[in-house]
Amino acid sequence: MNNVINPNEQVNQETFIHKLHQKLGASFAPFAHWLMPMGYGSIKDEVASVRKDCGVFDVSHMGEFIIHGPDAEEFINAVICNDFEKCPVGKAQYSPILNNAGFCLDDVIVYHLAPQFVLMCVNASNTDKIWHWLNELKNTPNAKIPSHFTLKNITAQTALFALQGPQAESKLLSVFTQLIKTHQPLVSNNHLDIEHFTSMVQSLPYYGVMTVNSNLDDHENFCYIARTGYTGEDGFEIFLTKSMAEIFWENLMEQGVKPCGLAARDCLRLEVCYPLYGHEIDESVTPLDAGLKWTVKLQKKYFVGQDALINYKTKWKQIKFSIPKAIPRQEYLIKNSDGKTVGTVTSGTLSPTLNLGIALGRVEAQTNLEQKLFVAIREQLLPITILSQPFLQGGHK
Amino acid sequence: MSTKIPQQLKYTAEHEWIMLDSNGIAVVGITDFAQNSLGDVVYVELPATGKKLTKDQPFGVVESIKSVSDLYAPITGEVIEKNTSVETTPELINTDCYANWLLKIKPADIAELNLLLSASQYQQQVEGK
């Protein structure tokens, strides 16, 4: 029979502006139990727009938590392995979150919005897991983890757009100018002055974050803007109250910003070798196995998983490689010239910018990288070129 | 969305088209429905001349940026020729999937052609019953 919904099938959530994506002709696919726009036409064109001009991604499926109170900063520093003491108010920081055994539960960005006030953005696939984890850490008595703060899950009220590309700053300013002209509540309730706003955006450094709303307890009128992103280009991640999502998106479209989907997003992040949870990192690896040693600050006072990582002997190391014609994909095997498997591809695609097959892979830690290595694609063993730098630098500040 | 389904061709459930040319050679490609679902085709892998194919077995791939799609032999036979232009310029499949064939096969058993779908049968399949 047709049209009978299997009661055991989980229905995928739609983002706030699902209808606008449909209007633009998006093709959708489920991702982390969300029905997400994969693309709006040509993935190649979307990637090119971000590298040369400006594209926007609706990533409202991601999770957002607020950590607020006197112990907020100390709690964050205990939860992440990077050093939050090096992240002053007005800056953001990338870090994995580990379990007690040192394995990766997620990778997140924490935004230091104000004293005692931190925003954490988590992967959509890990929203529930990390929410429960943070609550467990807060509520389990532990001399090393403080508890004088509140946790708030604002995922259901928060739209998130990633505006990326060399023209992102100019487009962001044009959109806000329009929002002011048309008296949108977000800007009028926050008494937004365009000159002041412009100067703040222009001087926002890479990984800087600013708030449009002065009253951070006001959950109806919030807007946080960070100079962060997942593409390697200059750009912004804009967290805003869901009631503004449609108007904000439509203004972006009016400014000629190209709508881009998750397929293009995956190409862009791979071109600059950014990891994706579920691929380069998961609960079977520590950050030290996954090319993320730079995020692990063992000398910190304390973080969850620290004990396990002191004297940890890495099992894996991360490689980046290209092949001239074919396309490496996740789970394809990496072999040496004896045909022995030494690792697997964790992410792979065709780079539309470079016109090469590119991949991130995980090989046994002791693998000699001077030898010839190969990727097995169907019946062929194709020689891989290992790179020491990302495939692309990108134009981020 | 109306998909192009030329009347004179035969089809498989796996979205391939096939026709017998005047020399009795089967010419094979993928349908408009397939190329549209794939999006930009960026890589094509085809078997070499002389390779023996078995009906319904995978013989190559067509890849978009996001995914790998196996190609299945619509009939049993021997590869006479593969379209190297399509291997060099995969986007040709998006431009015109009926003009840009993939393989020419010498059929081992002409009777297998009767097992294929007609244009209207294929249309029913893609447009829902």
Side-chain angles (χ1 to χ4, degrees):
Chain A
M1 276 169 59
N2 286 339
N3 300 319
V4 174
I5 296 175
N6 181 343
N8 294 324
E9 253 171 43
Q10 175 151 0
V11 174
N12 293 306
Q13 283 183 270
E14 295 173 354
T15 67
F16 305 115
I17 58 168
H18 185 81
K19 290 192 173 58
L20 298 184
H21 296 311
Q22 287 178 309
K23 229 172 60 175
L24 289 168
S27 57
F28 295 92
F31 180 83
H33 302 300
W34 287 83
L35 197 57
M36 295 304 291
M38 285 295 135
Y40 303 80
S42 162
I43 298 174
K44 281 187 202 174
D45 288 350
E46 289 173 25
V47 171
S49 284
V50 170
R51 294 273 174 242
K52 298 188 186 132
D53 190 3
C54 187
V56 64
F57 303 84
D58 174 11
V59 285
S60 301
H61 62 320
M62 296 187 71
E64 293 92 358
F65 310 137
I66 297 286
I67 300 91
H68 178 31
D71 289 337
E73 284 91 346
E74 203 188 321
F75 178 68
I76 294 290
N77 213 18
V79 167
I80 66 173
C81 56
N82 207 342
D83 189 355
F84 197 62
E85 280 183 13
K86 299 278 175 9
C87 184
V89 171
K91 292 296 286 263
Q93 189 176 72
Y94 169 80
S95 180
I97 287 184
L98 312 180
N99 62 19
N100 284 300
F103 294 115
C104 297
L105 294 175
D106 198 14
D107 64 336
V108 306
I109 297 186
V110 283
Y111 304 80
H112 205 168
L113 298 182
Q116 304 184 0
F117 201 103
V118 182
L119 165 72
M120 177 187 287
C121 183
V122 303
N123 281 298
S125 53
N126 295 322
T127 303
D128 289 345
K129 178 169 81 170
I130 298 299
W131 178 244
H132 287 122
W133 179 243
L134 295 181
N135 277 281
E136 191 185 310
L137 290 176
K138 177 182 192 292
N139 297 325
T140 307
N142 181 333
K144 296 186 182 157
I145 300 179
S147 57
H148 197 27
F149 59 90
T150 56
L151 289 171
K152 201 168 147 79
N153 185 345
I154 59 167
T155 304
Q157 298 106 273
T158 307
L160 176 57
F161 299 115
L163 189 65
Q164 303 279 303
Q167 297 304 315
E169 183 181 283
S170 140
K171 299 293 186 186
L172 181 67
L173 294 172
S174 299
V175 166
F176 269 86
T177 303
Q178 230 4 64
L179 295 178
I180 290 172
K181 262 202 199 132
T182 54
H183 309 291
Q184 296 306 324
L186 173 71
V187 292
S188 26
N189 293 347
N190 288 309
H191 313 291
L192 195 71
D193 169 75
I194 193 62
E195 270 168 33
H196 180 236
F197 180 76
T198 299
S199 119
M200 281 186 70
V201 167
Q202 286 174 340
S203 59
L204 194 64
Y206 186 48
Y207 268 75
V209 63
M210 54 184 271
T211 68
V212 168
N213 46 310
S214 42
N215 177 9
L216 290 178
D217 289 320
D218 184 350
H219 296 296
E220 298 301 308
N221 291 292
F222 71 87
C223 177
Y224 315 126
I225 299 173
R227 201 166 209 133
T228 47
Y230 196 44
T231 63
E233 296 305 321
D234 186 28
F236 303 88
E237 292 182 313
I238 301 135
F239 300 85
L240 78 170
T241 182
K242 67 180 181 189
S243 58
M244 285 294 304
E246 276 194 30
I247 291 187
F248 197 80
W249 180 268
E250 303 218 278
N251 271 284
L252 286 167
M253 295 299 108
E254 269 164 43
Q255 294 299 327
V257 173
K258 189 148 180 86
C260 300
L262 292 192
R265 190 168 160 84
D266 194 46
C267 286
L268 288 159
R269 67 96 186 172
L270 247 183
E271 287 180 337
V272 290
C273 300
Y274 291 177
L276 174 61
Y277 194 85
H279 290 244
E280 287 64 52
I281 37 180
D282 56 42
E283 286 188 36
S284 73
V285 295
T286 73
L288 302 176
D289 300 299
L292 292 175
K293 185 170 170 188
W294 66 272
T295 66
V296 180
K297 304 293 157 69
L298 286 175
Q299 73 283 5
K300 264 195 340 183
K301 188 172 85 172
Y302 171 73
F303 64 87
V304 174
Q306 186 180 40
D307 281 343
L309 295 188
I310 295 175
N311 302 321
Y312 177 78
K313 188 157 180 280
T314 55
K315 294 195 176 60
W316 306 101
K317 59 188 171 195
Q318 171 124 134
I319 60 169
K320 7 186 183 298
F321 71 85
S322 66
I323 53 179
K325 256 194 70 158
I327 304 175
R329 304 276 183 186
Q330 188 183 23
E331 289 173 12
Y332 287 9
L333 299 177
I334 298 170
K335 298 191 180 226
N336 64 19
S337 37
D338 297 326
K340 175 176 179 283
T341 297
V342 296
T344 54
V345 176
T346 52
S347 297
T349 190
L350 178 88
S351 160
T353 312
L354 301 166
N355 206 26
L356 283 177
I358 60 172
L360 296 172
R362 176 191 298 170
V363 299
E364 288 163 2
Q366 70 276 14
T367 307
N368 173 9
L369 297 181
E370 305 284 308
Q371 65 174 315
K372 278 202 167 69
L373 291 176
F374 305 83
V375 61
I377 301 188
R378 290 170 287 279
E379 287 97 43
Q380 290 188 283
L381 276 183
L382 298 175
I384 66 179
T385 303
I386 294 181
L387 283 79
S388 55
Q389 294 299 317
F391 310 106
L392 263 195
Q393 280 310 309
H396 70 76
K397 294 204 186 301
Chain B
M1 179 206 71
S2 76
T3 182
K4 282 201 279 278
I5 305 177
Q7 285 299 306
Q8 73 277 16
L9 303 176
K10 292 247 183 201
Y11 297 86
T12 69
E14 300 301 331
H15 308 291
E16 286 148 18
W17 59 263
I18 174 168
M19 66 152 246
L20 216 53
D21 72 13
S22 48
N23 299 319
I25 300 296
V27 185
V28 176
I30 67 168
T31 65
D32 184 47
F33 181 87
Q35 73 78 20
N36 192 58
S37 310
L38 279 168
D40 295 332
V41 175
V42 293
Y43 184 70
V44 178
E45 199 177 87
L46 298 171
T49 305
K51 178 113 174 136
K52 302 274 200 306
L53 305 183
T54 307
K55 181 168 160 26
D56 300 332
Q57 292 303 302
F59 68 83
V61 297
V62 169
E63 295 195 48
S64 67
I65 286 182
K66 270 314 270 184
S67 62
V68 180
S69 289
D70 285 315
L71 295 163
Y72 297 93
I75 57 168
T76 306
E78 186 185 316
V79 177
I80 301 293
E81 197 184 339
K82 65 174 177 170
N83 190 344
T84 49
S85 318
V86 155
E87 280 186 324
T88 316
T89 314
E91 314 85 82
L92 287 173
I93 295 182
N94 298 115
T95 314
D96 188 337
C97 58
Y98 295 110
N100 292 292
W101 53 274
L102 297 178
L103 278 193
K104 290 187 178 171
I105 306 172
K106 182 164 160 205
D109 180 2
I110 292 281
E112 278 183 344
L113 285 154
N114 299 329
L115 301 169
L116 299 166
L117 303 173
S118 68
S120 55
Q121 285 170 325
Y122 179 63
Q123 180 164 8
Q124 273 184 340
Q125 180 190 300
V126 302
E127 290 177 1
K129 292 179 186 28

